[in-house]
Amino acid sequence: MLVVVCVKQVPDTTQVQIDPVTNTLIREGVPFIVNPYDTHAVEEGLRLKDRFGFKVVALSMGPPNAEATLRKALSLGVDRAILLSDRAFGGADTLATSKVLSAAIARLAKDEEVGVVICGKQTIDGDTAQVGPGIATRLHCSQLTLVDRVEDLDPSVRKIRVRRKLEGRHEEVEAPLPVLLTVVRELNRPRYPSVPMRLASEEAAVEVWDNKVLELDPNGIGLKGSPTWVSRIFSPERAKGEILGDGARDPEAAAEILISKMLEKDLLAL
């Protein structure tokens, strides 16, 4: 049985800048990292491998330099890494992205059963949380989102039970395999690669699949197949903070200043 983990290369959001003319991200000189939520997806795939002997495939869609992201996954112990890279895939929104990823997973399933697909709950560059559910919908499989614990998995009866992190509470859910999970950071603590594994990953093969492999309609993928697009992008404006009085030595005076400031801005109703 295969466990497929979807990973994405994203720009380090702490260093992202925006071109004021084109309203696009300035990518030159910006370091790229593995989407943080996806690191937990990889770790959970490896834990299933350790426990059940499943094979783990890391799957990513992106430009050629996204190979570095997959090599990090290989250094941690995934068995196979596949990069979906083609100009036809470029400019994809979440709908077109889920179409390409699900097509690749379906192709993998022709050779070996795919029992579990794991994605991070969202990416830090888009924050839509739509790609994982989109893949599940296209593959017609169960989807369990916001997973913070895999309680049990029984391959013999083809069922999985997980705990979902909801607002103010948790929920335990059972579903049949195949299943897609989207995971949160509380799920696990990612492991570090050993030096031998890191060195071996530099020599390991990263398969590259283009649209000749997937044979998708070019009009339904990439920019042409994306019904949504970004019309404007901007950095959030962050006003500088102001220190009011000396709360440690004279809290009453500081409170009076705070109240007067709030009254000035009509933030209090008296």
Side-chain angles (χ1 to χ4, degrees):
M1 183 179 291
L2 291 181
V3 175
V4 178
V5 181
C6 298
V7 297
K8 185 182 181 183
Q9 175 181 266
V10 296
D12 187 339
T13 54
T14 62
Q15 301 187 44
V16 164
Q17 295 181 341
I18 297 170
D19 188 321
V21 177
T22 63
N23 285 318
T24 58
L25 295 178
I26 299 174
R27 297 180 179 271
E28 290 75 14
V30 177
F32 285 87
I33 60 174
V34 181
N35 180 52
Y37 292 103
D38 297 347
T39 63
H40 297 276
V42 172
E43 173 62 28
E44 199 61 28
L46 294 173
R47 292 189 181 196
L48 293 177
K49 174 184 176 179
D50 295 340
R51 183 176 174 185
F52 298 104
F54 298 155
K55 293 181 181 178
V56 181
V57 179
L59 186 66
S60 184
M61 188 181 92
N65 65 8
E67 181 180 304
T69 295
L70 290 171
R71 291 201 180 278
K72 290 181 181 178
L74 286 168
S75 72
L76 294 169
V78 305
D79 301 287
R80 188 177 176 188
I82 301 172
L83 175 62
L84 308 174
S85 188
D86 193 306
R87 287 188 178 275
F89 302 153
D93 67 356
T94 55
L95 183 75
T97 298
S98 65
K99 181 181 289 187
V100 173
L101 289 169
S102 59
I105 295 169
R107 189 180 187 282
L108 285 168
K110 291 180 180 179
D111 299 323
E112 190 169 354
E113 179 187 6
V114 175
V116 184
V117 180
I118 312 178
C119 305
K121 76 161 186 173
Q122 63 193 59
T123 58
I124 61 172
D125 58 346
D127 286 328
T128 64
Q130 294 174 347
V131 171
I135 294 172
T137 300
R138 293 182 180 279
L139 294 178
H140 306 288
C141 68
S142 309
Q143 60 172 296
L144 302 175
T145 58
L146 304 175
V147 174
D148 73 349
R149 182 185 298 171
V150 175
E151 299 282 8
D152 186 45
L153 191 153
D154 191 336
S156 62
V157 297
R158 301 179 57 76
K159 286 187 178 180
I160 188 171
R161 181 164 50 88
V162 305
R163 190 179 75 171
R164 302 179 64 230
K165 181 185 177 185
L166 306 179
E167 188 173 352
R169 62 190 176 92
H170 288 90
E171 175 184 65
E172 286 197 6
V173 186
E174 186 176 86
L177 302 182
V179 65
L180 180 138
L181 311 178
T182 71
V183 302
V184 298
R185 296 186 181 188
E186 292 83 355
L187 177 66
N188 55 44
R189 178 175 293 182
R191 67 191 68 186
Y192 289 96
S194 65
V195 173
M197 289 291 288
R198 181 174 293 178
L199 294 174
S201 69
E202 295 300 321
E203 303 296 329
V206 174
E207 300 173 50
V208 179
W209 290 4
D210 57 17
N211 201 36
K212 292 181 181 178
V213 177
L214 299 182
E215 299 180 331
L216 294 170
D217 179 0
N219 293 316
I221 56 176
L223 188 60
K224 293 180 180 179
S226 300
T228 59
W229 62 90
V230 177
S231 61
R232 181 168 177 254
I233 187 171
F234 56 90
S235 298
E237 295 182 2
R238 297 182 177 90
K240 291 185 178 180
E242 181 182 357
I243 298 176
L244 302 175
D246 188 342
R249 297 181 181 180
D250 193 352
E252 291 184 1
E256 289 180 3
I257 297 172
L258 174 61
I259 292 171
S260 65
K261 287 282 186 181
M262 294 178 74
L263 287 171
E264 288 175 11
K265 296 180 181 296
D266 198 25
L267 297 175
L268 286 180
L270 297 180

